Amino acid sequence: MTAIPIGKRSKKAPASDKTKAERKLGLMLCAPAVVAMLLVTVYPILYAVALSVQKVDLRFPEESGFVGLANYKAVLTSDLWWQGVFNTSLIAVVSVSIELVLGMGLALVMHRAIFGRGVVRTAVLIPYGVVTVVAAFAWFFAFDPSSGFVNNLPFVPDDKAWFGGHNSSLSVIIMAEVWKTTPFMGLLLLAGLATIDEGLYEAARVDGATAWQRFWRITLPLLKPALLVALLFRTLDAFRVFDSIFVMTRGAQDTESVSILGYNQLISRLNLGLGSAVSVLIFVLVLLIAFVFVRILGTSNPASQGERS
């Protein structure tokens, strides 16, 4: 596509009265939803930021007052925080990586299924339809040392102490996350596969391209928008992991995530100042993750490159 010189670009025509009226109607229709979103998201965030710069401990209400960045300093210099960041990052990276591979396989199978496509898709989505807490309890009881059926398998170690160590506990948590959310990854990738023109594959077959070459040169590049959405949603969701850890270990064996750490400060220890500081830091990390994903995958989107040319 030939770029139009800046000096020769036509000026944008002024909007007609009908267009202005449609825009005004659209703004009026969106206004209630925008106001509701501001009330349920922006206000709590601002209130958490305000609490994070104060000493607000419900156990000692008389000691409340402004402390500036002292709460952030206390959190960032704590070994518990960095252990929580490490655990959360490990769970997110490992689980999302496995889910991406398995989800891609499920998406390809569902997309190429000749018969029973609806039944296959419904069966695959069953784990994602289970409530997270219920799924966590199911995995907890499955690996319970006294009654779990997993302990009867031949490869199980003799001690059967799945939740007695750091690595084994994190392994069960990661497996539960993968089982629960792989269908979500597969569903998003399946939607991306449905947008790819089959004629591209036919042309590649005529040119002698192998299945791997078609996947690497056609499927992956055109699937990048769906990959961005799937990886972004799942990474952000995995970084806020709470239910599985709370049900299985309650943070024991050094398995605390940043969300569990914030819960312990806010609910268990009633320290609203430190808990709010943890929450704000989690919010900043989530924004950073979203920014990195959009910059890495968004700039390499073939569609966006075509619009710039």
Side-chain angles (χ1 to χ4, degrees), residues 74-279:
V75 173
L76 294 175
T77 56
S78 172
D79 293 336
L80 289 175
W81 165 256
W82 293 112
Q83 180 67 46
V85 171
F86 173 78
N87 292 337
T88 307
S89 302
L90 179 64
I91 293 172
V93 171
V94 176
S95 62
V96 173
S97 299
I98 298 174
E99 289 166 18
L100 177 61
V101 176
L102 297 180
M104 179 65 75
L106 287 175
L108 291 173
V109 170
M110 291 187 291
H111 183 64
R112 297 297 180 185
I114 300 176
F115 58 90
R117 183 174 299 183
V119 177
V120 172
R121 294 179 181 180
T122 303
V124 168
L125 290 175
I126 289 176
Y128 188 67
V130 179
V131 179
T132 306
V133 175
V134 176
F137 270 111
W139 279 81
F140 173 77
F141 289 124
F143 284 85
D144 183 70
S146 59
S147 59
F149 70 88
V150 177
N151 299 310
N152 298 324
L153 299 178
F155 59 84
V156 175
D158 295 333
D159 55 7
K160 302 178 183 179
W162 295 103
F163 301 108
H166 174 73
N167 294 332
S168 58
S169 298
L170 287 181
S171 298
V172 178
I173 293 170
I174 290 173
M175 286 189 289
E177 288 290 307
V178 170
W179 178 84
K180 175 72 172 64
T181 52
T182 294
F184 175 74
M185 182 76 74
L187 182 63
L188 292 179
L189 296 180
L190 176 62
L193 289 174
T195 63
I196 301 177
D197 186 6
E198 291 293 332
L200 297 174
Y201 294 105
E202 295 295 334
R205 290 190 187 96
V206 172
D207 292 337
T210 62
W212 173 252
Q213 289 174 332
R214 294 195 300 270
F215 176 78
W216 188 257
R217 299 295 180 88
I218 298 177
T219 304
L220 276 185
L222 297 180
L223 202 59
K224 281 183 179 179
L227 280 173
L228 172 62
V229 174
L231 288 175
L232 179 59
F233 280 17
R234 265 304 300 143
T235 303
L236 296 182
D237 186 48
F239 198 82
R240 296 179 291 106
V241 59
F242 176 85
D243 311 67
S244 300
I245 299 177
F246 185 81
V247 170
M248 296 184 191
T249 65
R250 300 278 178 135
Q253 307 299 335
D254 293 329
T255 58
E256 274 190 340
S257 65
V258 288
S259 297
I260 293 290
L261 181 62
Y263 170 84
N264 289 335
Q265 292 294 334
L266 285 168
I267 307 301
S268 301
R269 302 184 181 97
L270 301 178
N271 194 327
L272 303 187
L274 280 177
S276 298
V278 172
S279 300

